[in-house]
Amino acid sequence: MRRPWRHPGPAAAAAAVARRHGAADLCLREVGDLLPRHFARRAAGSEDLVMRLQIHRKLDRHTGCVNTVGFNEVGDTLISGSDDQMVMLWDWDTGAVKLEFHSGHGGNVFQARFMPCRDDRTIVTCAADGEVRLAKIQDGGDVSTTLLGEHGGRAHNLAVEPSSPYIFYSCGEDGLVQHFDLRTNTATKLFLCRSSLRKSGLASCVHLNAIAIDPRNPNLFAVGGSNAYARVYDIRKHKWDGSSDFAHPSDCYCPPHLVDDKRVGITGLAFSHLSELLVSYNEENIYLFPKNGGLGSDPKSSIKIGANEGYKSTMAASGQDIAQSAPQVYVGHCNRKTVKRVTFIGPNDEYVASGSDCGRIFIWRKRDGRFLRAMEGDECIVNCIEPHPHDMTIASSGIDNDVKMWTPSAIERAPVVNIEELRPRKRRAKLWHFDLPELLIQHLLASERRQQSTEEDSSEDLEDSTGLLSLVLRAADGSVSSTDDEEISDGSEEFTVN
């Protein structure tokens, strides 16, 4: 069996941690009371390593925003997908590109994932064109792509069943959740996620941004989007002949104060190895719910939901009062402008990490929500953070065209910073590439031709209109240069397209 590749920087740092802070664990290991693998995992999850994270390398080959990054099972290869519709496989340690190919998508690539146990030769992707595609790498390096399924809107997220070479799920802005089995290359439409849990047939669809599978029980998966509820479903309740209504969740998660709040939505979900559910809200904070800490399959049937000294009390329709621990909250980042994911880092999910509109990577301690780091990760916005499967190494990406690789190789620990004292960053606004509706483009082109044929075109209004038209047309064909950007602060308005 191939042993996991280990980066020398983190290994050396872990040894230093053991020498300075792990004497007790070292003694336990030597007398046989602590297994060597447990000792190694404790050292790899040390807070000292988090405080020594710094940029190891920048992977710079894409020509558009990088929307997805992910490691293979061994951890020596990184996959990335971008607005340029390309998928790249990297030797992230050296920065070399192992393979690059066109995804086959007609829009921005939002997710690219290796399928487990397939020798890194089978990749699934989804994109802004709503398509879900399969890419197979041949022996000679050629890549063939196949359409597996489609959504009626942008498809933001995929969830691959742990250790399964065949099964994965997709979700999209059309509210549809699909199940895929690569043994048949077919897509099964499971259900449309509705805003109302009680009258799903009449309610509007929830635009889904995130889907995640519980690694401890792969039969369970959670979805979230333009609604305050994270819904958990049990695939075992689905009847494959289509005879049952699978749209009703097994459980729903939501902080008590956000119940019925129609202003917030969910941008990211993640399950820990203990089946805890991590939920990131736009215009709000990140929350960690314990296993079985939901509001039930139909929280609308509750008579009251209140909070008191760290506990929430739910009075069910039956009259039974159920007390549950309040979710752990992580505060300080800004999640307004793009679809940001959230994740755990550390071999035992010891930390929570998220990107931010300020271009930083925020890291908190999981157990108590204590803020640890805010690292400069992007000129504009960090959207994706992906942990290495074995080491304290992470990859991050966002609006910039590159991927940053972070390893705990800094000689000195980062200073402790109070989250309230973080200074606003000065950064350059970007007019990112976007797709203009075809009818609008035709109208603008016709307007430009009319203006060119007009003899009297000296008015200021016409000049201003022509200038605006020129800017829009240049943006449409991607010809706006960096010299058109303007210096702005974090509080300024920006054009942002997810």
Side-chain angles (χ1 to χ4, degrees), residues 76-347:
D76 60 354
T77 301
L78 185 85
I79 188 171
S80 62
S82 168
D83 285 2
D84 60 14
Q85 303 172 12
M86 299 295 292
V87 174
M88 296 190 183
L89 276 58
W90 306 80
D91 180 337
W92 62 264
D93 186 37
T94 65
V97 176
K98 293 182 175 182
L99 180 69
E100 60 179 302
F101 62 92
H102 193 276
S103 62
H105 289 286
N108 308 342
V109 177
F110 285 152
Q111 187 94 80
R113 284 288 181 262
F114 290 109
M115 292 301 295
C117 310
R118 300 295 289 265
D119 198 26
D120 302 338
R121 289 175 173 265
T122 302
I123 296 167
V124 290
T125 60
C126 64
D129 59 4
E131 295 182 350
V132 179
R133 302 186 69 89
L134 170 68
K136 291 188 174 181
I137 303 174
Q138 311 300 326
D139 289 339
D142 295 333
V143 180
S144 61
T145 65
T146 306
L147 177 65
L148 295 179
E150 292 184 88
H151 287 271
R154 293 181 292 184
H156 281 283
N157 209 197
L158 303 173
V160 176
E161 183 174 306
S163 301
S164 171
Y166 308 111
I167 305 300
F168 71 98
Y169 299 79
S170 72
C171 67
E173 291 184 353
D174 56 355
L176 178 64
V177 177
Q178 298 187 85
H179 175 278
F180 295 85
D181 189 333
L182 295 184
R183 287 168 291 196
T184 60
N185 279 2
T186 57
T188 301
K189 297 180 179 180
L190 297 180
F191 61 89
L192 282 173
C193 187
R194 302 283 185 176
S195 58
S196 173
L197 299 171
R198 304 186 72 179
K199 298 179 180 180
S200 59
L202 302 176
S204 60
C205 288
V206 176
H207 302 296
L208 295 178
N209 298 318
I211 185 168
I213 297 176
D214 185 348
R216 203 167 189 174
N217 184 358
N219 294 305
L220 304 179
F221 65 91
V223 297
S226 58
N227 187 276
Y229 293 103
R231 296 166 168 85
V232 176
Y233 296 85
D234 190 335
I235 191 63
R236 293 170 296 188
K237 296 182 179 180
H238 176 72
K239 293 184 179 180
W240 299 99
D241 61 1
S243 61
S244 66
D245 181 11
F246 187 54
H248 206 71
S250 299
D251 205 351
C252 295
Y253 292 78
C254 183
H257 69 284
L258 294 183
V259 171
D260 292 329
D261 191 335
K262 295 180 173 55
R263 299 170 300 172
V264 301
I266 295 170
T267 66
L269 294 170
F271 277 103
S272 75
H273 71 289
L274 297 176
S275 297
E276 303 156 306
L277 182 59
L278 189 65
V279 184
S280 180
Y281 287 87
N282 68 298
E283 300 283 358
E284 245 277 348
N285 300 313
I286 298 170
Y287 297 89
L288 178 67
F289 298 89
K291 181 182 179 181
N292 301 323
L295 301 174
S297 60
D298 189 1
K300 291 292 185 180
S301 65
S302 299
I303 296 175
K304 68 175 183 179
I305 298 178
N308 183 26
E309 297 181 357
Y311 289 88
K312 67 175 181 286
S313 176
T314 303
M315 183 73 74
S318 62
Q320 181 181 3
D321 192 10
I322 303 172
Q324 296 172 310
S325 299
Q328 177 63 57
V329 61
Y330 307 91
V331 303
H333 77 308
C334 183
N335 183 9
R336 294 194 184 107
K337 300 180 180 180
T338 55
V339 177
K340 294 178 187 62
R341 302 192 177 105
V342 67
T343 190
F344 297 97
I345 60 176

Side-chain angles (χ1 to χ4, degrees), residues 334-406:
C334 183
N335 183 9
R336 294 194 184 107
K337 300 180 180 180
T338 55
V339 177
K340 294 178 187 62
R341 302 192 177 105
V342 67
T343 190
F344 297 97
I345 60 176
N348 295 303
D349 300 334
E350 293 94 341
Y351 310 98
V352 169
S354 172
S356 176
D357 288 341
C358 65
R360 296 184 177 102
I361 299 170
F362 282 71
I363 301 177
W364 301 266
R365 196 161 58 197
K366 186 189 80 171
R367 69 174 183 269
D368 57 8
R370 180 189 175 192
F371 168 69
L372 297 177
R373 294 287 308 271
M375 308 183 299
E376 306 292 341
D378 195 280
E379 185 180 343
C380 293
I381 300 174
V382 176
N383 290 322
C384 303
I385 299 173
E386 187 73 14
H388 191 278
H390 311 297
D391 293 328
M392 184 60 75
T393 296
I394 62 176
S396 68
S397 67
I399 301 302
D400 289 348
N401 295 347
D402 60 15
V403 179
K404 277 89 172 177
M405 300 301 308
W406 304 78

Side-chain angles (χ1 to χ4, degrees), residues 25-46:
D25 285 349
L26 184 60
C27 291
L28 292 175
R29 187 193 68 172
E30 293 303 308
V31 299
D33 288 340
L34 184 63
L35 293 176
R37 66 176 180 271
H38 291 167
F39 173 80
R41 289 179 70 85
R42 287 190 188 184
S46 167

